[in-house]
Amino acid sequence: MVETIRTLLEHAVDYAGLFPPAGLSMADAVERYRAHAASPESWMLGRFVVDVARLGELEGAIVYNPPAQPWRVSVLAGADLPAAIPAVLAFNAHVRDAQIDSIEAKFPANTEQFADAAHAVPDGFTVYWEINAANDPGPAIEAVASAKQRAKIRTGGVKEEMFPMVQQVARFLRCCDQAHAPFKATAGLHHPARGAYRLSYEPGAPSATMHGFVNLLFAAAFQWTGVTEQETVDLLEAPMDAFRITRRGVSWHRHWISTEQIRNSRQRLVLSFGSCSFDEPVADLRQLGML
């Protein structure tokens, strides 16, 4: 594995096994995350993602079977972030072997409501605001950047209509880059390459075209260096053999980015992506010869 791939994927996968299409029980999700944290690919693993309503279950699972190393946890607060804060603080006070350091919420109906909610967050938490990519995300992203918080884009789901168009994803990337707003992505990113995949693990489940997480990470890295929005669209749609990966960087058509530029984009633009599977991304990366 070249250094470039490790830089691209380090701590990139926030594990969301509790959520569809996996929809695991708390016990199963915790045990799988524990196994992933002990695997050779643990360097790719990010936070454990849980809904605020299930923090009590997570606390019980961890208190009675502590992990070898403390976990970082991201909590989904839904549409009412201030209401979730007491449960978040109580969890951090009661649990020593896992700490919530990230909160994810839906961006409110307007920027005035956002300002009130953003000020309700205590110091010490990273906050991601899920913004609808179907509409112009620019004003919301600018508000998030002004509050020194972070953006979030939903890139799929269990229905075909839940996947945004590549043009919408490219616009979101451009807006985040221009506003200096770091972001994360979530849902529909089980596979490195864009392509047609089944929407769930059920036998006979329908297929749809899904975004690739390597496409997304590369698109953000090239966006960081100043490609056009149309080129970002092309990057999101590019097959994996369009990228030439070396230990020094990645080339795509006439463009080239260094490993250091990829590191900068991961630290300052695209921070992570949520996936209900960790095994699936690892297996696909191996098949592509990237691991």
Side-chain angles (χ1 to χ4, degrees):
M1 178 184 61
V2 296
E3 180 187 354
T4 301
I5 293 299
R6 184 165 185 124
T7 301
L8 184 75
L9 294 169
E10 193 157 19
H11 301 306
V13 187
D14 288 338
Y15 180 65
L18 293 169
F19 300 88
L24 300 178
S25 68
M26 182 64 72
D28 286 344
V30 164
E31 286 312 304
R32 291 198 189 189
Y33 187 79
R34 193 188 306 274
H36 299 327
S39 73
E41 294 79 25
S42 60
W43 57 272
M44 289 174 49
L45 191 62
R47 294 173 173 86
F48 184 93
V49 183
V50 61
D51 191 275
V52 64
R54 303 189 69 180
L55 283 177
E57 290 179 69
L58 179 60
E59 179 177 347
I62 289 177
V63 166
Y64 294 107
N65 190 5
Q69 298 291 332
W71 291 359
R72 293 184 305 157
V73 177
S74 188
V75 166
L76 301 191
D80 192 351
L81 186 149
I85 296 301
V88 168
L89 295 177
F91 180 93
N92 280 356
H94 297 156
V95 182
R96 294 182 300 173
D97 294 298
Q99 286 286 286
I100 299 164
D101 62 358
S102 172
I103 304 173
E104 305 176 31
K106 292 186 180 296
F107 194 87
N110 57 63
T111 53
E112 289 78 13
Q113 291 177 358
F114 163 74
D116 292 339
H119 285 123
V121 182
D123 292 340
F125 293 98
T126 298
V127 184
Y128 293 89
W129 295 93
E130 183 179 322
I131 296 166
N132 186 356
N135 304 317
D136 178 10
I141 289 172
E142 289 175 4
V144 166
S146 296
K148 301 190 183 305
Q149 296 181 358
R150 300 175 180 184
K152 175 180 170 181
I153 180 172
R154 183 162 294 275
T155 44
V158 294
K159 297 180 180 178
E160 185 174 4
E161 58 267 26
M162 297 175 75
F163 289 80
M165 296 184 295
V166 287
Q167 292 83 359
Q168 294 169 336
V169 178
R171 180 177 62 180
F172 185 93
L173 290 179
R174 175 181 58 79
C175 289
C176 285
D177 183 33
Q178 291 180 341
H180 304 292
F183 76 95
K184 73 172 290 185
T186 191
L189 291 171
H190 301 186
H191 304 279
R194 179 175 169 81
Y197 305 99
R198 289 190 172 182
L199 289 168
S200 76
Y201 302 118
E202 298 295 325
S207 297
T209 300
M210 299 184 177
H211 300 288
F213 64 80
V214 169
N215 286 98
L216 178 72
L217 296 174
F218 276 154
F222 279 97
Q223 172 71 54
W224 179 257
T225 66
V227 297
T228 66
E229 190 169 331
Q230 181 55 53
E231 286 173 323
T232 302
V233 169
D234 295 340
L235 282 156
L236 291 167
E237 294 181 322
M240 289 297 101
D241 60 9
F243 301 105
R244 184 172 178 271
I245 304 168
T246 71
R247 64 181 180 83
R248 296 180 58 246
V250 178
S251 61
W252 173 74
H253 296 329
R254 62 186 179 85
H255 297 284
W256 184 83
I257 50 174
S258 68
T259 301
E260 186 60 29
Q261 287 172 315
I262 293 172
R263 179 176 292 109
N264 286 338
S265 75
R266 283 295 323 282
Q267 293 174 346
R268 303 179 189 180
L269 186 56
V270 56
L271 303 179
S272 65
F273 65 92
S275 174
C276 73
S277 173
F278 188 73
D279 290 325
E280 206 165 19
V282 168
D284 280 9
L285 289 165
R286 282 187 182 138
Q287 188 174 9
L288 289 168
M290 292 185 175
L291 293 183

